[in-house]
Amino acid sequence: MAEPVNSADALARLAAVIESRLPARGGDPEKSYVARLLHKGPDAFLKKVGEEATEVVMAAKDADHGGERSKIVGEVADLWFHCMIALAHYGLKPADVIAELERREGTSGIEEKALRKALAREGGAS
């Protein structure tokens, strides 16, 4: 019987591959798309994050008008992938994002946003 799929493990495996493509680890821009984006610097991979986010929005709007909902999944996968490249560049891991989501679990989004605004005001007042 096959082991159950663990999403965090899948993200960790993908993150390890992405990290192996970092320039500091010898990622070859001639052989790897990830290494090429990382070699070009933040402007390149952040532009891709923005493009992929827009494609998620477009796929969702298409689905609202009879388009295939499965396209949303593909576009979100592309967005997550490029976000993971950004995380790796900044020395972060998917586990850091998961931990933040877990920290927010059970907190109203409205309350969480209000708390962030209050903390930002306090930080600006010092």
Side-chain angles (χ1 to χ4, degrees):
M1 189 162 133
E3 294 270 332
V5 175
N6 181 323
S7 301
D9 288 346
L11 290 174
R13 286 192 306 274
L14 178 56
V17 171
I18 291 169
E19 288 170 17
S20 75
R21 305 303 199 268
L22 288 165
R25 298 220 180 142
D28 185 350
E30 297 298 318
K31 296 180 181 176
S32 165
Y33 170 75
V34 172
R36 186 175 311 138
L37 275 180
L38 289 165
H39 180 74
K40 290 179 180 179
D43 285 349
F45 60 77
L46 295 174
K47 179 179 177 185
K48 286 301 294 181
V49 169
E51 289 171 2
E52 298 302 342
T54 299
E55 290 176 16
V56 168
V57 171
M58 291 170 32
K61 292 190 80 52
D62 287 348
D64 282 340
H65 300 298
E68 292 181 44
R69 291 174 16 168
S70 63
K71 288 186 177 180
I72 299 170
V73 173
E75 295 302 343
V76 169
D78 291 345
L79 175 59
W80 286 13
F81 176 76
H82 288 89
C83 287
M84 289 177 67
I85 293 172
L87 288 172
H89 174 80
Y90 295 107
L92 300 166
K93 297 184 179 303
D96 297 315
V97 177
I98 292 167
E100 176 61 13
L101 291 171
E102 288 173 340
R103 184 191 67 76
R104 295 179 186 186
E105 188 174 2
T107 303
S108 156
I110 294 170
E111 291 171 8
E112 198 274 334
K113 186 173 182 179
L115 178 61
R116 277 189 283 137
K117 284 184 177 181
L119 290 172
R121 279 194 302 271
E122 287 176 15
S126 346

